């Protein structure tokens, strides 16, 4: 019904617009074009004609009222007003035409909004009253409130200028003001406001400052419009759920990074208040993650020049310095808008790297599960070899305790899925483990515990740059991994909930979180797959849920840290193992093997290099593999020979269409890639190769070559030079060379490259078949001229 009603309104506007055009043509009488003469009789005749013409406006018909109501009650018969009448009438007709188009566009926009509301309401099963409220609100914004505000703005603007333009003419002022007051033209309003801002140079600074605030602080765009009654309950529930989950995960990832467990809480508290200020994702769960913690441990768990382990203070200094530098790098990347770099890394390469990183994380936690530690090599496969070599040190008590924890977490996960519950499995296992460890004193049986965890706010401290060269490679690696994880998670969750994220702004948000977080004892953070999924499933609506999560963690390290004194390390290791198992993407490997072996090869190269050589070199090799593939497809562009499908004028690749007919006497070649300096020589070589193949297999001499440019989206100077050389070569040999399906961009570049000097402009065709027929006609005309000469 709404669509029918709005459609009728649109038809009515279009009808009024067409009637106005017809009447405008009918009222084009000689009055507007005649020149005044000085003779008295001519003046009297002109006044008589004016009276007859203006009588239509003094006593209008009902149809005339619809169109000319805006000029009623102001027309007077006087020669002094004729100029004003002519100007205002033409202006009113132009404004009516513009306003009709604006109103029609607003009806179109209302149709789109209405369709979206009906689709979403059907999807979410909303009630009719809610739908009506949304529709009325949009209608008011588009037609009632919007037009009223525009008219007020235009009246206020023109009230200061109309008097200056018509000084000394009171009647003219009122008439001109009366017609201008009725304008609601968007174009004129924006022009007027732009002129006003241009003249008011003092406001430029405040305008730029305001624009910068809204550009770099997205919270200003959504928080003032936050619906407390509708969203607060959902955000509180979701934020609290993730906060309870993050207590255990934060401490576990701190242990993974080689730091005391309280630094996992510090990284999950105050920094979570920073991201909502700068980020654009509504559901991103930022904080400590397994992969970034592993990269931090590559520095904190290494040895110094003397071969000794670093002290706890040195480890903390390294971690905070890494967070500080990662933040600086990401902020710089966001400001220069370098988010496009993610397009150069293929998905199989990223999947292989994360799968190998999951195995490396599992190796780092085996010491708590198996009950004995070994020398950790920089090469993960050597660490695995050391565990196998010292298997005689195995202790069954921590192994049994860890397996029990893993079993119960998986059981809770299955229960939540089956009964649609939200029981936090990790925190449940944490409190149960603390209870049994404290009651039965399990630390006497080889199960290590955390001991005392300090309570209170972290100390504010800055980074120490004494070992910057040691952390520099790790900083670049973490900044890159952080960017990949955060953008991938935020984009995916944004698609699910129907909103878009800004990659460069996400870089800025993540960078500011790490940069400012480093001053409150936070090690590097990134977006988390698991916590983001929990936020989405728990019903989070905005980033207020992330703020609630941060408050839960702050309350924890302010008041409840003594409860975690008897927390076993094996429980934290179990939480990490359950979390990182999801990173082992074996299904992706099988999928790639089934559809394309080259992508599977890239996956395995990334996986094997990361596991054998190490994480830092693994990511470097993974990036190199992606770039090599890009260069490979650029140097070896797909090219094919075309043939005609029988009974049609359609040409297809003869490899895929075996029934295609090769047209005798010519070569039809298609290149599905831009032609630039990397592959220009490849095109020349390919054409030469096809020439040789043709001369060996066909008795008819080659007399035409047509290049299908359907997939040639761009061409550079080197490519133009190659095309010119080919055109000149075949022109001397008497071979017809043409181009088909050339887009406008490439055609202009060819014209700028003066290719018409070697290839006539008549040899550019919209279809391949047209080129073939033209080549055959060219050959016949050439033979005819040759016979006539002889």
């Amino acid at each position: 019904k709404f669509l029918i009603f709005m459609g009728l309104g649109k038809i009515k506007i279009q009808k009024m617009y067409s009637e106005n055009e017809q009447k405008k043509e009918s009222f084009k009488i000689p009055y507007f074009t005649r020149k005044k003469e000085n003779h008295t009789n001519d003046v009297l005749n002109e006044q008589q004609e004016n009276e007859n013409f203006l009588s239509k406006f003094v006593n209008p018909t009902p149809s005339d009222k619809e169109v000319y109501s805006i000029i009623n009650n102001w027309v007077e018969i006087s020669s002094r007003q004729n100029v004003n009448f002519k100007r205002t009438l033409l202006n009113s007709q132009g404004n009516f035409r513009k306003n009709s188009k604006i109103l029609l566009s607003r009806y179109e926009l209302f149709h789109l909004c209405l369709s979206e509301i009906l689709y979403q309401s059907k999807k979410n099963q909303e009630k009719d009253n809610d739908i009506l409220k949304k529709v009325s609100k949009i209608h008011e914004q588009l037609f009632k409130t919007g037009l009223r505000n525009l008219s007020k703005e235009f009246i206020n603007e023109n009230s200061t200028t109309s008097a200056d333009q018509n000084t000394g003419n009171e009647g003219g002022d009122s008439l001109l003001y009366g017609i201008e007051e009725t304008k609601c033209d968007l174009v004129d309003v924006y022009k007027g406001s732009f002129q006003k801002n241009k003249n008011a140079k003092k406001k430029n600074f405040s305008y730029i400052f305001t624009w910068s605030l809204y550009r770099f602080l997205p919270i200003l765009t959504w928080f003032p419009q936050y619906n407390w009654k509708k969203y607060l309950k959902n955000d509180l529930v979701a934020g609290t759920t993730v906060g309870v989950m993050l207590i255990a995960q934060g401490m576990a990832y701190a242990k993974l990074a080689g730091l005391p467990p309280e630094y996992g809480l510090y990284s999950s508290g105050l920094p979570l208040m920073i991201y909502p200020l700068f980020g654009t994702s509504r559901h991103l769960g930022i904080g400590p993650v397994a992969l970034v913690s592993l990269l931090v441990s590559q520095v904190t768990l290494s040895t110094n020049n003397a071969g000794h382990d670093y002290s706890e203070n040195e480890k903390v200094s390294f971690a905070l310095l890494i967070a500080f530098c990662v933040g600086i790098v990401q902020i710089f990347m966001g400001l220069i808008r370098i988010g496009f770099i993610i397009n150069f890394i293929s998905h199989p390469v990223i999947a292989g790297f994360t799968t190998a990183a999951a195995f490396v994380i599992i190796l780092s936690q085996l010491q708590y599960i198996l009950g004995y530690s070994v020398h950790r090599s920089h090469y993960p496969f050597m660490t695995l070899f050391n565990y196998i070599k010292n298997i005689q040190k195995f202790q069954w008590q921590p192994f049994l305790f860890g397996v029990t924890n893993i079993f119960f977490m998986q059981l809770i996960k299955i229960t939540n899925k089956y009964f649609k519950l939200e029981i936090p499995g990790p925190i449940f296992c944490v409190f149960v483990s603390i209870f049994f460890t404290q009651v039965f004193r399990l630390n006497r049986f080889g199960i290590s515990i955390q001991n005392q965890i300090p309570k209170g706010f972290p100390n504010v401290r800055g980074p120490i740059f004494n070992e910057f060269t040691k952390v520099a490679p790790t900083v670049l690696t973490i900044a890159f991994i952080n960017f990949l994880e955060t953008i991938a998670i935020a984009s995916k969750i944004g698609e699910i909930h129907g909103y878009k994220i800004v990659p460069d702004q996400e870089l800025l948000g993540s960078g500011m979180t790490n940069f400012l977080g480093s001053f409150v004892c936070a090690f590097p953070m990134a977006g988390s797959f698991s916590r983001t999924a929990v936020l989405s499933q728990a019903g989070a609506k905005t980033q207020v849920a992330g703020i609630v999560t941060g408050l839960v963690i702050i309350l924890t390290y302010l008041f409840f840290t003594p409860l975690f004194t008897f927390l076993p390390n094996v429980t934290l290791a179990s939480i990490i193992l359950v979390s990182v198992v999801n990173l082992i993407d074996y299904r992706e490997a099988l999928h790639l093997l089934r559809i394309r072996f080259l992508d599977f090869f890239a996956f395995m190269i990334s996986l094997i290099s990361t596991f054998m050589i190490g994480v830092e070199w693994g990511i470097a090799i993974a990036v190199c593999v992606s770039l090599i593939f890009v260069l490979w497809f650029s140097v070896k562009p797909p090219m094919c020979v075309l043939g005609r499908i029988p009974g049609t004028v359609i040409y297809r690749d003869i490899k895929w269409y075996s029934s295609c007919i090769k047209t005798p006497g010519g070569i039809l070649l298609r290149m599905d890639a831009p032609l630039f300096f990397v592959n220009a020589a490849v095109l020349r070589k390919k054409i030469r190769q096809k020439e040789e193949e043709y001369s060996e297999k066909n008795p008819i001499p080659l007399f035409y070559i047509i290049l299908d440019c359907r997939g040639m989206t761009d061409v550079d100077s080197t490519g133009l030079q190659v095309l010119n050389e080919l055109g000149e070569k075949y022109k001397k040999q008497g071979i017809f060379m043409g181009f088909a399906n050339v887009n406008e961009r490439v055609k202009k570049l060819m014209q700028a490259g003066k290719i018409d000097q070697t290839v006539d402009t008549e040899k550019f065709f919209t279809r391949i078949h047209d080129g073939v027929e033209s080549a055959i006609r060219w050959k016949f005309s050439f033979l005819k001229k040759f016979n006539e000469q002889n």
Side-chain angles (χ1 to χ4, degrees):
K1 293 180 180 179
F2 285 116
L3 290 173
I4 294 172
F5 174 73
M6 290 298 107
L8 292 175
K10 180 179 177 182
I11 293 171
K12 185 175 181 181
I13 294 295
Q14 292 175 341
K15 183 178 179 182
M16 291 175 62
Y17 181 77
S18 61
E19 289 178 357
N20 178 40
E21 294 294 328
Q22 294 176 1
K23 292 180 180 181
K24 184 177 67 174
E25 295 293 332
S26 64
F27 285 128
K28 286 183 179 180
I29 60 176
Y31 168 75
F32 294 102
T33 57
R34 284 203 307 265
K35 296 182 180 180
K36 288 188 177 181
E37 298 180 358
N38 296 326
H39 300 287
T40 306
N41 294 332
D42 295 338
V43 172
L44 292 175
N45 293 333
E46 184 179 0
Q47 290 179 354
Q48 184 65 31
E49 291 178 358
N50 291 344
E51 290 177 358
N52 295 333
F53 172 69
L54 295 174
S55 63
K56 294 184 177 181
F57 298 101
V58 177
N59 298 313
T61 61
S63 59
D64 293 331
K65 287 181 180 179
E66 294 180 1
V67 182
Y68 294 100
S69 60
I70 59 174
I71 58 175
N72 200 13
N73 299 325
W74 67 271
V75 179
E76 294 181 3
I77 306 174
S78 67
S79 59
R80 190 163 55 89
Q81 296 290 339
N82 285 341
V83 177
N84 291 334
F85 170 74
K86 179 180 178 181
R87 185 178 72 252
T88 52
L89 180 61
L90 293 176
N91 289 340
S92 65
Q93 291 172 349
N95 291 330
F96 180 83
R97 194 180 304 111
K98 293 178 182 177
N99 293 334
S100 299
K101 293 180 180 178
I102 293 168
L103 197 57
L104 290 173
S105 66
R106 291 195 175 198
Y107 269 110
E108 295 290 345
L109 180 60
F110 184 73
H111 287 172
L112 293 176
C113 295
L114 184 59
S115 302
E116 181 67 21
I117 289 173
L118 294 175
Y119 173 75
Q120 293 294 337
S121 62
K122 196 171 183 180
K123 182 179 179 182
N124 301 330
Q125 297 181 354
E126 296 184 0
K127 297 181 179 179
D128 295 340
N129 294 333
D130 298 333
I131 300 174
L132 287 174
K133 288 179 181 179
K134 293 180 180 179
V135 172
S136 60
K137 184 176 180 181
I138 294 175
H139 189 275
E140 182 178 3
Q141 291 176 351
L142 285 176
F143 298 101
K144 187 177 179 181
T145 307
L147 293 175
R148 185 170 64 247
N149 292 338
L150 286 175
S151 61
K152 287 181 179 179
E153 182 179 353
F154 192 85
I155 291 170
N156 294 333
E157 179 184 347
N158 286 277
S159 61
T160 60
T161 60
S162 59
D164 297 335
Q165 295 175 355
N166 298 278
T167 54
N169 184 7
E170 296 180 358
D173 289 345
S174 62
L175 295 178
L176 187 59
Y177 182 78
I179 186 64
E180 293 290 347
E181 187 177 2
T182 60
K183 284 186 178 181
C184 279
D185 185 18
L186 285 178
V187 178
D188 293 338
V189 169
Y190 285 132
K191 285 183 178 179
S193 60
F194 175 77
Q195 188 67 26
K196 185 191 298 184
N197 291 332
K198 184 177 180 181
N199 295 332
K201 294 182 179 180
K202 295 181 180 179
K203 297 182 180 180
N204 285 344
F205 176 77
S206 61
Y207 172 77
I208 294 174
F209 179 73
T210 305
W211 178 86
S212 301
L213 282 179
Y214 280 88
R215 164 68 175 81
F216 296 107
L217 294 174
I219 192 173
L220 298 176
T221 61
W222 63 266
F223 190 73
Q225 303 175 0
Y226 184 77
N227 192 333
W228 296 90
K229 294 182 180 179
K230 187 176 181 180
Y231 295 151
L232 184 60
K233 180 181 177 181
N234 293 331
D235 288 337
L236 284 175
V237 173
T240 304
T241 302
V242 175
V244 173
M245 172 185 175
L246 187 54
I247 293 173
Q249 281 191 348
M251 292 189 293
Y253 293 145
K255 294 292 291 182
L256 175 61
L259 303 174
E262 61 268 20
Y263 285 91
L265 299 177
Y266 298 155
S267 303
S268 308
L270 289 174
L272 268 67
M273 309 289 183
I274 301 172
Y275 175 78
L277 300 175
F278 303 94
T280 58
S281 176
R282 304 173 194 170
H283 300 83
L284 182 64
I286 201 165
V289 295
L291 190 55
V292 174
S293 300
L294 173 66
L295 294 170
V296 174
S297 69
Q298 303 297 308
V299 177
T300 58
L301 299 181
S302 60
T303 57
N304 54 23
N305 295 330
H308 302 292
D309 293 335
Y310 289 105
S311 64
E312 184 175 300
N313 289 331
E314 289 176 322
K315 293 178 181 179
V316 172
S317 298
F318 285 146
L320 301 186
L321 177 60
I322 293 172
F324 176 85
C325 296
V326 167
I328 293 293
V329 171
Q330 289 185 323
I331 291 172
F332 177 74
M333 292 169 65
L335 292 177
I336 65 175
R337 298 180 177 273
I338 203 172
F340 67 90
I341 198 173
I342 192 174
N343 298 325
F344 289 95
I345 311 301
S346 64
H347 176 70
V349 170
I350 297 174
F353 171 76
T354 54
T355 301
F359 286 114
V360 176
I361 293 171
I362 292 172
L363 283 178
S364 67
Q365 299 302 304
L366 284 182
Q367 58 179 329
Y368 304 111
I369 299 294
L370 301 179
Y372 68 95
S373 60
V374 297
H375 174 69
R376 291 187 60 184
S377 173
H378 184 72
Y379 305 103
F381 78 96
M382 290 299 299
T383 303
L384 177 61
F385 178 76
N386 291 333
Y387 274 113
I388 297 174
K389 184 179 179 181
N390 296 277
I391 192 65
Q392 67 275 6
K393 298 180 181 179
F394 171 77
Q395 296 183 16
W396 65 270
Q397 295 93 339
F399 178 78
L400 180 62
F401 198 86
V403 171
T404 304
N405 276 283
I406 294 173
F407 172 77
F408 275 104
M409 279 188 282
Q410 292 296 107
L411 181 63
I412 293 173
K413 184 178 180 180
I414 295 173
T415 304
N416 289 338
K417 184 177 180 180
Y418 186 77
F419 294 102
K420 297 182 179 180
L421 302 176
E422 296 294 339
I423 302 174
I427 197 65
F428 176 81
C429 290
V430 163
F431 285 119
V432 172
S433 300
I434 291 173
F435 174 78
F436 280 101
T437 303
Q438 188 172 6
V439 171
F440 298 104
R441 299 293 176 181
L442 297 181
N443 54 323
R444 298 178 299 173
F445 302 100
I447 298 176
S448 59
I449 59 176
Q450 296 295 330
N451 294 322
Q452 188 66 30
I453 298 178
K455 182 172 65 173
F457 273 109
N459 297 324
V460 179
R461 52 185 295 184
I464 302 175
F465 294 91
N466 55 348
E467 292 285 350
F468 178 75
T469 56
K470 184 177 181 63
V471 303
T474 305
V475 166
L476 297 177
T477 306
I478 292 178
F480 182 74
I481 292 297
N482 190 336
F483 172 60
L484 291 180
E485 284 195 349
T486 303
I487 297 300
I489 300 169
S491 300
K492 185 66 176 179
I493 202 68
E495 291 177 2
I496 293 174
H497 290 275
Y499 63 88
K500 293 183 179 180
I501 60 110
V502 182
D504 296 315
Q505 188 63 32
E506 286 299 312
L507 266 175
L508 187 62
S510 179
M512 292 299 295
T513 303
N514 283 291
F515 172 72
L516 297 178
S518 64
F519 294 97
V520 290
C521 298
F523 62 91
M525 297 156 284
S528 169
F529 287 96
S530 58
R531 294 193 294 273
T532 301
V534 172
L535 278 173
S536 177
Q537 294 172 3
K541 301 297 182 182
T542 64
Q543 296 165 352
V544 173
I547 297 175
V548 173
T549 300
L551 291 175
V552 171
I553 302 299
I554 291 173
L555 293 175
T556 300
Y557 64 66
L558 285 180
F559 304 106
F560 303 111
T561 51
L563 297 176
F564 301 101
T565 301
F566 285 89
L567 176 62
N569 288 319
V570 65
T571 300
L572 298 179
S574 302
I575 294 172
I576 293 174
L577 293 181
V578 172
S579 301
V580 302
V581 164
N582 297 325
L583 296 178
I584 302 176
D585 201 354
Y586 65 92
R587 292 189 181 90
E588 181 68 18
L590 297 177
H591 174 69
L592 295 174
L593 180 60
R594 185 170 59 254
I595 62 174
R596 194 180 188 193
F597 179 78
L598 191 61
D599 289 339
F600 174 76
F601 178 74
F603 178 93
M604 295 304 299
I605 288 288
S606 180
L607 188 151
I608 295 173
S609 61
T610 302
F611 187 76
M612 299 295 291
I613 304 176
V615 177
E616 292 91 346
W617 282 104
I619 188 63
I621 293 175
V623 172
C624 291
V625 168
S626 292
L627 295 179
I628 289 173
F629 280 178
V630 171
L631 293 175
W632 173 263
F633 288 120
S634 299
V635 175
K636 298 288 185 179
M639 286 186 284
C640 61
V641 177
L642 303 178
R644 184 172 61 84
I645 298 177
T648 68
V649 293
I650 300 173
Y651 292 79
R652 290 292 183 266
D653 187 356
I654 60 175
K655 289 184 179 180
W656 300 101
Y657 294 84
S658 58
S659 61
C660 285
I661 302 172
K662 287 186 178 181
T663 306
I667 297 175
L668 305 177
L669 190 66
R670 186 179 70 203
M671 178 178 177
D672 295 324
L675 182 62
F676 59 112
F677 67 96
V678 176
N679 56 22
V682 179
L683 176 63
R684 183 196 289 116
K685 182 179 179 181
K686 187 73 172 180
I687 293 177
R688 188 186 304 117
Q689 177 185 349
K690 294 302 176 183
E691 283 184 61
E692 296 175 356
E693 293 179 1
Y694 181 88
S695 60
E696 293 176 358
K697 298 180 181 179
N698 292 276
I700 302 175
L702 178 69
F703 66 89
Y704 74 90
I705 294 176
I706 296 178
L707 185 62
D708 183 11
C709 303
R710 188 190 310 272
M712 190 182 296
T713 57
D714 198 5
V715 60
D716 68 349
S717 59
T718 306
L720 291 174
Q721 182 180 356
V722 170
L723 293 179
N724 277 318
E725 292 175 357
L726 291 173
E728 186 176 357
K729 169 187 172 182
Y730 293 125
K731 188 175 183 180
K732 293 179 180 179
Q733 294 179 0
I735 295 176
F736 180 97
M737 183 176 181
F739 301 96
N741 300 315
V742 184
N743 63 48
E744 295 299 326
R745 171 183 172 81
V746 175
K747 187 179 293 184
K748 289 182 179 180
L749 291 172
M750 288 181 175
Q751 292 173 355
K754 299 181 179 179
I755 199 172
D756 53 348
Q757 296 180 359
T758 55
V759 180
D760 297 334
T761 55
E762 293 81 6
K763 296 181 180 179
F764 286 81
F765 308 99
T766 56
R767 296 188 310 170
I768 300 175
H769 191 70
D770 295 339
V772 173
E773 290 182 340
S774 179
I776 295 173
R777 287 196 300 268
W778 174 85
K779 184 64 175 178
F780 281 136
S781 63
F782 177 79
L783 293 176
K784 184 178 180 181
K785 291 180 181 178
F786 181 78
N787 293 330
E788 291 176 354
Q789 292 176 0
N790 294 334

